[in-house]
Amino acid sequence: MSLTYWCERAWLPDGVADDVLVEIDGTRISRIEQGPPGSAERLPGLTIPGLANAHSHAFHRALRGTTQRGQGDFWTWRERMYEVAARLDPRSYQRLATAVYAEMALAGITCVGEFHYLHHDQGGRPYPDDPNAMGHALISAARAAGLRIALLDTCYLSGGIGVPLSDVQLRFGDGDSERWAARADMLAAAYEGQPDVEIGAAIHSVRAVPPDQMPAVAEFSHRHAAPLHVHVSEQRAENTACVEMYAATPVQVLHERGALGPRSTAVHATHLTDVDIELLGQSGTYLCMCPTTERDLADGIGPARAAADRGARITLGSDSHAVIDLFEEARGMELNERLASSKRGHWPAADLLAAATGEGHTSLGFPDAGLLVPGAWADLVSVRLDSVRTAGASGLEAVVFAATAADVHSVVSGGRRVVAQGRHVLGDVAALLTEAIEELR
């Protein structure tokens, strides 16, 4: 089916243009030209490509507004997260994730990278009907909400360096990386040839995967030409423990085990040495920055600008979903850099938006998305330029430095209109979230 939209303004590869007609054939953009609207559906404001949330833990959304009480650190937050993980099953997880992904769609996100490690039933028992029941639930949720998904099936084998899994962590583990790979291969086979799903891999962290188990995960990524993501140096305590055990930083351990490269993404990368930055840059590894989570958990400010200067490519994620707003993540990266350096203007707005669109999609295995060009996925996100936040501003700066997710009024994802007039096709997303979260309490 062919559809045509007229964008009042649109961000094209060569800049912002007025009066842009975008013709869609099925799931792809077939033609772009400038001209009068004619009978095309009008999209006011500024239309940009769909956003890619490169790092998500869907069930963490249930923690919003609860873990912010009192004091603590990453490790106390983690205990609250485990409490939620203990209560989920495939049905409740699908219900929650559908609502979370619908919230993402309302924010202009058309693709999510789900860092998925909640695999098994209580006590680590595989679900009898399908050991990938939780993964299928997440994929079904993304489709219902209108998102493409890179399901980053995560290898998680230990509770800390040299520490076995215990309690709820048993639900995360497969025993060893070979058994993890066998299960992940089953999942990949189930979605082979389905263009809206990418089955990728993840090494949870050096805390959770011993070095001798990492090559099997990297090999899965190579064999399937799939993304490989990993939490890296999020906490100083992680670095200290890694150096004490392996006489190397987490980045060096990953490098030695073949886990860095142009398909790989280092998430957070907060506490890096100069050597780490060189290894990430020279290998072409992506860095996924999650500024709102890194602030919320008191992690610190990662050296994103220094890594980008060495060749690393930057993407953005909402991670624990303290906020789901990639405009906030984009400007957060710039503003964090200003705080760390006492200087302004580290990235132009176009580069920050590219991190949230084209770079993010490519890091998730969808290199044909994140640009408004013929042949690309038909993802159109229209942002109001007349709200109380954006009124009087113009260009990409209005979106990156003034707009919020609430200013997204229309989303076309893969040719499907999933948000119109700020409302999702599933209806009241706030009610869906409330019902799904209350079920877990």
Side-chain angles (χ1 to χ4, degrees):
M1 182 176 66
S2 179
L3 298 169
T4 302
Y5 293 93
W6 179 81
C7 307
E8 184 178 21
R9 308 195 79 195
W11 182 42
L12 303 178
D14 56 355
V16 175
D18 296 329
D19 306 327
V20 176
L21 285 161
V22 181
E23 185 175 296
I24 293 172
D25 187 5
T27 62
R28 302 281 174 165
I29 295 172
S30 58
R31 183 168 60 95
I32 294 179
E33 62 182 29
Q34 289 181 266
S39 60
E41 183 165 354
R42 296 174 179 236
L43 297 177
L46 178 60
T47 297
I48 62 176
L51 305 173
N53 189 349
H55 190 66
S56 162
H57 302 289
F59 75 90
H60 292 190
R61 174 61 179 82
L63 298 169
R64 185 187 296 177
T66 61
T67 57
Q68 284 76 21
R69 299 170 189 152
Q71 297 180 325
D73 56 16
F74 171 87
W75 309 102
T76 53
W77 170 88
R78 190 177 72 161
E79 293 307 312
R80 298 295 301 278
M81 179 267 287
Y82 285 166
E83 293 172 8
V84 175
R87 292 194 285 270
L88 286 162
D89 58 32
R91 185 197 64 80
S92 62
Y93 203 4
Q94 181 170 344
R95 188 180 186 192
L96 174 61
T98 299
V100 175
Y101 294 153
E103 182 182 359
M104 290 186 194
L106 287 172
I109 293 164
T110 56
C111 183
V112 60
E114 183 63 35
F115 200 99
H116 168 52
Y117 55 82
L118 183 52
H119 301 303
H120 303 300
D121 203 348
Q122 303 297 329
R125 297 184 299 275
Y127 286 99
D129 293 338
D130 191 325
N132 285 304
M134 291 294 236
H136 295 310
L138 289 164
I139 291 168
S140 295
R143 285 173 161 170
L147 272 62
R148 292 185 300 281
I149 184 170
L151 191 74
L152 304 165
D153 198 286
T154 304
C155 186
Y156 196 129
L157 304 175
S158 58
I161 294 177
V163 179
L165 297 175
S166 63
D167 299 323
V168 70
Q169 293 173 337
L170 295 170
R171 301 190 69 183
F172 310 159
D174 289 286
D176 61 37
S177 59
E178 295 299 331
R179 278 177 280 186
W180 168 84
R183 183 182 52 73
D185 277 332
M186 291 174 56
L187 189 63
Y191 295 95
E192 186 175 1
Q194 299 187 33
D196 61 330
V197 177
E198 177 76 21
I199 303 300
I203 294 168
H204 180 273
S205 59
V206 295
R207 291 182 286 110
V209 181
D212 65 339
Q213 300 292 307
M214 293 177 181
V217 187
E219 194 275 332
F220 176 95
S221 169
H222 298 323
R223 181 158 37 89
H224 292 277
L228 171 60
H229 288 220
V230 55
H231 292 132
V232 175
S233 295
E234 184 175 4
Q235 291 288 317
R236 288 188 177 91
E238 172 187 325
N239 284 8
T240 299
C242 185
V243 171
E244 288 177 353
M245 178 64 72
Y246 306 123
T249 66
V251 168
Q252 290 170 322
V253 169
L254 292 163
H255 170 68
E256 291 165 0
R257 300 312 187 278
L260 301 182
R263 288 197 196 97
S264 298
T265 296
V267 181
H268 301 305
T270 307
H271 304 288
L272 302 180
T273 67
D274 290 342
V275 172
D276 294 339
I277 292 171
E278 289 293 340
L279 288 173
L280 291 167
Q282 291 176 13
S283 63
T285 298
Y286 288 88
L287 261 63
C288 181
M289 311 307 290
C290 307
T292 60
T293 290
E294 289 146 11
R295 290 198 300 265
D296 185 49
L297 298 183
D299 288 343
I301 298 172
R305 183 67 263 175
D309 289 342
R310 303 299 195 282
R313 298 163 70 178
I314 307 297
T315 66
L316 298 167
S318 63
D319 191 10
S320 66
H321 312 313
V323 173
I324 295 179
D325 186 338
L326 286 196
F327 304 140
E328 174 63 23
E329 305 295 346
R331 64 176 162 263
M333 186 171 66
E334 165 68 24
L335 297 179
N336 280 355
E337 197 76 33
R338 295 181 187 186
L339 288 174
S341 69
S342 300
K343 295 180 180 179
R344 303 177 75 240
H346 299 273
W347 284 276
D351 288 358
L352 293 170
L353 200 54
T357 55
E359 298 285 27
H361 281 99
T362 301
S363 76
L364 296 176
F366 295 97
D368 50 354
L371 290 171
L372 297 182
V373 295
W377 280 93
D379 300 338
L380 308 178
V381 172
S382 299
V383 184
R384 292 181 58 187
L385 296 180
D386 60 354
S387 75
V388 294
R389 290 165 293 277
T390 59
S394 63
L396 295 185
E397 288 74 16
V399 172
V400 174
F401 290 103
T404 72
D407 295 311
V408 173
H409 69 81
S410 173
V411 177
V412 177
S413 179
R416 173 189 174 195
R417 184 76 169 269
V418 295
V419 175
Q421 301 302 317
R423 186 171 178 83
H424 196 278
V425 292
L426 294 180
D428 187 344
V429 175
L432 295 176
L433 284 162
T434 299
E435 292 166 4
I437 293 169
E438 286 296 325
E439 183 181 344
L440 300 175
R441 291 176 175 165

